Amino acid sequence: MTELLDIFRALADPTRLRILALLREMELAIGELAVVLDQSQPRVSRHVRILVDAGVVERRREGSWVFLRLAQEGPVGETLARAEKWPFSPREALVIAHDARRLVAIRTERAAAAERYFAEHAAEWDAIRSRHVAESEVEAAMLAIMHNRRLGHLLDVGTGTGRMAEIFAPTARRITALDRSPEMLRIARAKLAGQPVPIDLVQGDFLNLPVTDASVDTIVIHQALHFAHEPDRVIAEAGRVLRGGGHLLIVDFAPHEDEELRTMAAHARLGFSDAQIRGWFASAGMGLENSQTLEGGELAVKLWLGRRRSDEDQSPVTHGGDGQRKRLAA
């Protein structure tokens, strides 16, 4: 009874209900909530503390940043799921809609910060990656973990300068190299000229892959997931486009505390744990087949290989055509 009363007391405030509505959309930092709510950060912090104490909201610290999310498990999660279905009054609905519009500005600024970095450092990207661990060692481990696996149609998410497409070209049937940055794709186009397999250079976002359901055999996300504020959604989207039995290879950093990567290199996440990746894989219909750790340099690099459930283990997928793509002009 006491736990239930704490939950309802925490929910009995208009600002805290607005916070819940925002956190249903995405994880947010307190400063970002303050901007959307147009309230002072100390005031928002007090509301967040009440929600955290009641178990309604969970904190997750990454370096000097603290991200907030709704509780998912137990009676709190069940209560919130029911509360989500309660209708707003017309006046409340207007406030929630206003907050949603301001939340778009937060998403836009996050994306713009990454875009600015990409534009400024496109030509230096390979060198920046090499700072953390010898890239030759990472590439050798990637080739080894994928050895004797049918790559088929490979999707390289966040291709950057095209290096992943380059090293997997000899064993793939076809490659789609995707990146948000036109500057990156221009560099990749020059690097990938003359490869032995067809390579499509596509401009797109890893949260909304311009690829049809169950249409690729292999996906590689190399040193790109740390730019995602919602990495679980990135992995879910990868699961959508992956064929049954296909593989997803993620290469990124183990958890670390190097704040400079956030402030100077636009990293949204300071590495990932095996438990996080395993959970996100499971939610996306994949199992974690293999994980490896490469020590060296300032940071440890991790390789996670997931496999999509085979066709007979999952519901039928409606196949479409080649999907709509935004191709860059030659």
Side-chain angles (χ1 to χ4, degrees):
M1 182 70 72
T2 300
E3 183 180 13
L4 192 61
L5 287 173
D6 288 342
I7 292 172
F8 282 112
R9 288 192 187 102
L11 298 179
D13 181 271
T15 296
R16 295 198 284 274
L17 288 177
R18 290 169 68 189
I19 291 173
L20 294 191
L22 290 167
L23 293 181
R24 287 193 190 104
E25 298 299 319
M26 60 191 294
E27 292 184 7
L28 291 163
I30 290 178
E32 292 173 326
L33 280 172
V35 170
V36 174
L37 297 171
D38 195 22
Q39 296 183 14
S40 70
Q41 191 158 321
R43 181 177 180 183
V44 173
S45 295
R46 286 194 296 272
H47 284 298
V48 167
R49 189 180 308 114
I50 291 170
L51 292 169
V52 170
D53 290 344
V56 176
V57 167
E58 299 172 347
R59 295 174 181 263
R60 185 180 55 75
R61 177 173 291 279
E62 285 190 3
S64 62
W65 283 44
V66 176
F67 288 95
L68 305 168
R69 67 179 181 182
L70 296 182
Q72 304 295 318
E73 306 296 334
V76 172
E78 295 172 8
T79 302
L80 292 180
R82 292 179 180 274
E84 189 175 354
K85 300 175 182 178
W86 296 341
F88 291 111
S89 69
R91 182 175 179 276
E92 291 167 338
L94 286 175
V95 174
I96 296 299
H98 174 73
D99 289 347
R101 287 192 294 271
R102 292 178 68 92
L103 186 61
V104 171
I106 296 294
R107 292 182 187 269
T108 301
E109 175 52 34
R110 285 180 172 185
E115 290 289 349
R116 287 193 296 270
Y117 176 76
F118 290 147
E120 292 169 3
H121 298 279
E124 308 158 18
W125 189 235
D126 284 339
I128 292 173
R129 284 176 172 167
S130 297
R131 158 192 171 189
H132 308 289
V133 67
E135 199 65 23
S136 59
E137 184 181 348
V138 176
E139 292 176 5
M142 294 176 70
L143 291 171
I145 204 171
M146 299 304 294
H147 183 62
N148 286 335
R149 300 183 190 275
R150 184 176 69 88
L151 299 185
H153 179 188
L154 183 145
L155 173 62
D156 178 18
V157 177
T159 193
T161 61
R163 178 58 182 163
M164 293 301 103
E166 186 178 28
I167 69 170
F168 284 113
T171 50
R173 174 175 53 83
R174 172 187 170 194
I175 295 176
T176 300
L178 179 140
D179 206 286
R180 290 185 61 187
S181 167
E183 179 66 22
M184 288 290 192
L185 289 170
R186 283 193 289 270
I187 295 171
R189 175 172 286 105
K191 174 178 273 190
L192 297 173
Q195 289 297 321
V197 297
I199 298 181
D200 295 328
L201 290 151
V202 180
Q203 186 177 7
D205 188 89
F206 52 20
L207 288 173
N208 185 23
L209 297 172
V211 181
T212 53
D213 293 356
S215 61
V216 298
D217 302 292
T218 306
I219 301 175
V220 174
I221 306 178
H222 173 247
Q223 296 291 15
L225 193 63
H226 54 237
F227 291 110
H229 289 272
E230 298 167 278
D232 55 328
R233 287 183 57 199
V234 176
I235 292 174
E237 180 69 353
R240 176 185 68 81
V241 306
L242 198 59
R243 288 194 180 103
H247 287 88
L248 168 61
L249 175 60
I250 295 177
V251 181
D252 218 293
F253 298 123
H256 63 87
E257 298 293 330
D258 190 345
E259 283 288 337
E260 186 179 13
L261 291 180
R262 196 197 304 278
T263 57
M264 302 298 293
H267 287 204
R269 301 283 176 146
L270 299 183
F272 305 97
S273 68
D274 289 348
Q276 283 178 309
I277 297 295
R278 184 182 294 107
W280 292 332
F281 275 7
S283 296
M286 289 179 279
L288 179 60
E289 272 196 356
N290 196 347
S291 67
Q292 296 181 19
T293 304
L294 302 178
E295 303 286 353
E298 301 171 28
L299 306 172
V301 171
K302 295 284 297 188
L303 283 75
W304 296 280
L305 182 65
R307 182 179 181 274
R308 189 78 161 92
R309 289 197 301 263
S310 58
D311 294 335
E312 58 267 23
D313 295 332
Q314 57 187 335
S315 301
V317 179
T318 301
H319 293 270
D322 288 335
Q324 293 184 346
R325 299 176 183 168
K326 182 179 180 183
R327 295 176 182 258
L328 300 185

